[in-house]
Every structure is written in C-alpha cells, then in structure tokens.
Amino acid sequence: MLRIALPNKGRLAEKALDLFETAGLKAEFSSQRALLAQLGPDFQAIFVRAADIPEFIADGAADVGVTGADLVAESGREVEELLDLGFGRCRLALAVPETSEIRHPADIPAGARIATSFPGITRSFFEAMGVEVEIAPVSGATEIAPHLGVADLIVDLVSTGSTLRVNRLREVVTILESTARVVVNPAALQDPERKQTIEELVTALESVLRARARRYLMANVPKARLEEVRAVLPGINGPTIVEVADDGAWVAAHAVVDANRVYQTIARLKALGAEGILVTRIERLMP
Ligand code: AMP
C-alpha cells in the first residue's frame, strides 16, 4: 500500500480530490472529518497542510503527494516532481508600494527589508543577485507590511494582482511561477513495484488532464464533402467515419478536438453542410 499526501484544505484541496476521483480513485473516508482515506486498492491518502507535504514526502511519511511548486521550492527538500497538474496557478512576485522608485530588482538597495512568507526562496533570489537584504518572515497578510513600516518590499503569491492593487502595491518582478505538482520521494522510485504503481498513477492523472482539454465531436456530414471535413476535423489519426443508415448521401464523422477550438470547428462544419452536431466531454484519454 502506498501513501499519498493530499492538501486537507485551502486552494488545492478540492481540485486535487476531484482529479483523483475522475482518475478512478475516489477517497473513501471512514468518518466525516477523517485525516485518512482509502484511495482505490493501492493507495492510502493522508490529508495534511499543503505546506507540510514536501516535508512529509522527503521524510518518507508519504510516498507521493500533491502540492504547489512554490511550497516545494520553499521547503528546499529533495523531492522529485513527476507531473504538473496545471491548477493552483499563481506566481511569487516581488512588489513595492506604488510610490516607490524601485522599477527593477537592480534598483533594490542593500539593506532593504522584505516581508514574506517565503523566506527561503527570497533569500536564494537575493543571494543569486548578490544583494544583501533583510528578511522579515511573516505567515500571512504580507501586503500590509510596507504600510506598517515593517518592510520596504514584499515577496508574495499573486494570481490576478487585485490584492496588490487594493493594497496600493506594484509588482516589480516574478520570482517563481507555480502550479500544483505531483511529487514523489526519490527512494520510492528505487523499488520496482512501488515505481510501477506510481507510474500507473501518473498515467491515470495525465489521461484525465489530457481529456479535460479535449471534446469528442460527432456530426453528420454530406459524403460529398468528406475531404473538406477531414481538413476541419484532424482528430488523433484523422476522423472516424461511420455509415449512416440512409440512402448513402451522409456519413457520421467523429473526432477528438481541442476544447478551445470547438466553437470554430462547429462553425466550419456547418459551413460544409453538417447536421446533428454533438459535442461531449471525455473522461480519460490515453494516446
Ligand atoms: P493554501 O494555503 O492551503 O490555500 O494553499 C496555498 C497554495 O495554493 C499556494 O502555496 C499555491 O501553491 C496555491 N495558490 C494558487 N493561487 C494562489 C493565490 N492566489 N494565493 C495563494 N496561494 C495560491
């Protein structure tokens, strides 16, 4: 039995559980607020804070985990990233009060005081720049620090930038881009049996991510326009063409298409005389 560490609450928790469930690994809790759950036949899930997950993986308390790339980097622990899950997208940015004259990192003077809940990443960033700064570690509400005179700058997570604007702060530079990742203890990959189970898990999760970005499209098209339809519906290996039980003038074309191109594809098919167009979600897609 392998152990998976999943975020117990916060921005990543629900999406992680949902992804596993779609991949066929539904969490079976033994009680309402359980910190443990069975996740299919091969995995036991433990629910912990996203920030603690790199630590749990590195220590071997769990074999695999889902957490933010920012938290992995901040932990400084040796864990291996296996998959980018795409959700939980944010960036760790350096920001200054709107009135500041700092426009580039190079404008930051030695001795500047920086409030952040990412002291490790911030320290490495300034060490690489060769600028000595003072770091004020905080555990939240970082944006308020410059207004309290606690710090000159901040390093904080940003997704839309609206929190920075509300607090009259301006972004200077992105230090790190983050999304949720599947991480593993490198030692778990040394054991062939565990390695195989982990690889199967990654394949299953990847198939869900791939499927989410695609749609299955079906349309009845005039047989005479088939060549043009083929150009509109490339599919994976070209569209699947199915006979329609009529007088032979129509065929049904089926293909997997990019979700963000469905709208355009439908318009093009209609222009070719297509009818009965049907678009459905795909649960999992293995190439
Ligand atoms: P939590 O504190 O449990 O809600 O999880 C925070 C993690 O969610 C961060 O470390 C990031 O990996 C991710 N995240 C995504 N967008 C944001 C955001 N706008 N602010 C903070 N965290 C975010």
Side-chain angles (χ1 to χ4, degrees):
M1 184 75 71
L2 288 183
R3 196 174 265 178
I4 301 191
L6 296 176
N8 60 346
K9 54 184 174 189
R11 292 172 197 262
L12 308 178
E14 201 177 315
K15 286 186 170 155
L17 261 194
D18 179 60
L19 172 67
F20 276 75
E21 183 169 340
T22 312
L25 298 170
K26 184 170 161 52
E28 304 286 353
F29 294 91
S30 45
S31 72
Q32 259 297 303
R33 298 186 43 185
L35 300 173
L36 289 175
Q38 191 63 34
L39 213 56
D42 298 327
F43 299 100
Q44 181 187 52
I46 57 169
F47 294 89
V48 290
R49 285 185 51 213
D52 294 333
I53 290 179
E55 202 67 36
F56 280 122
I57 302 287
D59 289 346
D63 304 284
V64 199
V66 171
T67 191
D70 54 330
L71 299 171
V72 174
E74 180 60 24
S75 77
R77 299 300 306 259
E78 285 284 316
V79 299
E80 200 173 316
E81 281 188 21
L82 294 183
L83 185 62
D84 184 341
L85 298 175
F87 59 80
R89 188 174 294 278
C90 58
R91 56 188 188 274
L92 190 65
L94 184 96
V96 294
E98 274 169 1
T99 51
S100 166
E101 299 200 331
I102 295 169
R103 300 268 155 198
H104 303 282
D107 301 337
I108 298 168
R113 223 173 130 71
I114 305 176
T116 184
S117 39
F118 290 83
I121 298 175
T122 305
R123 194 168 293 117
S124 311
F125 178 79
F126 282 98
E127 269 171 15
M129 272 182 49
V131 179
E132 243 177 74
V133 294
E134 220 182 298
I135 293 174
V138 294
S139 57
T142 315
E143 315 82 24
I144 198 89
H147 303 297
L148 299 177
V150 179
D152 310 305
L153 303 90
I154 66 164
V155 167
D156 201 10
L157 288 177
V158 184
S159 50
T160 60
S162 64
T163 309
L164 288 185
R165 276 193 295 280
V166 166
N167 288 286
R168 287 174 287 120
L169 296 166
R170 166 168 49 81
E171 256 181 277
V172 174
V173 70
T174 294
I175 294 183
L176 178 131
E177 306 259 4
S178 180
T179 44
R181 309 288 161 97
V182 174
V183 291
V184 65
N185 181 325
L189 298 177
Q190 297 301 314
D191 174 63
E193 221 173 296
R194 283 200 288 174
K195 182 169 189 263
Q196 192 185 340
T197 311
I198 292 167
E199 281 172 354
E200 284 165 7
L201 169 72
V202 169
T203 304
L205 298 176
E206 269 177 323
S207 74
V208 175
L209 299 178
R210 212 179 284 119
R212 281 182 180 170
R214 310 283 209 289
R215 296 290 181 269
Y216 195 69
L217 190 146
M218 295 166 263
N220 287 340
V221 297
K223 210 173 192 170
R225 315 286 306 256
L226 205 47
E227 272 314 304
E228 292 155 281
V229 167
R230 211 187 286 260
V232 175
L233 281 184
I236 293 176
N237 303 309
T240 301
I241 305 300
V242 185
E243 290 295 338
V244 173
D246 67 347
D247 56 9
W250 292 82
V251 288
H254 294 198
V256 172
V257 296
D258 285 344
N260 57 16
R261 287 189 44 221
V262 164
Y263 188 84
Q264 191 188 22
T265 307
I266 290 176
R268 289 200 188 160
L269 287 173
K270 281 193 148 179
L272 293 175
E275 287 179 5
I277 301 171
L278 228 131
V279 180
T280 69
R281 286 182 183 279
I282 305 168
E283 198 147 296
R284 290 175 62 176
L285 180 65
M286 263 75 64

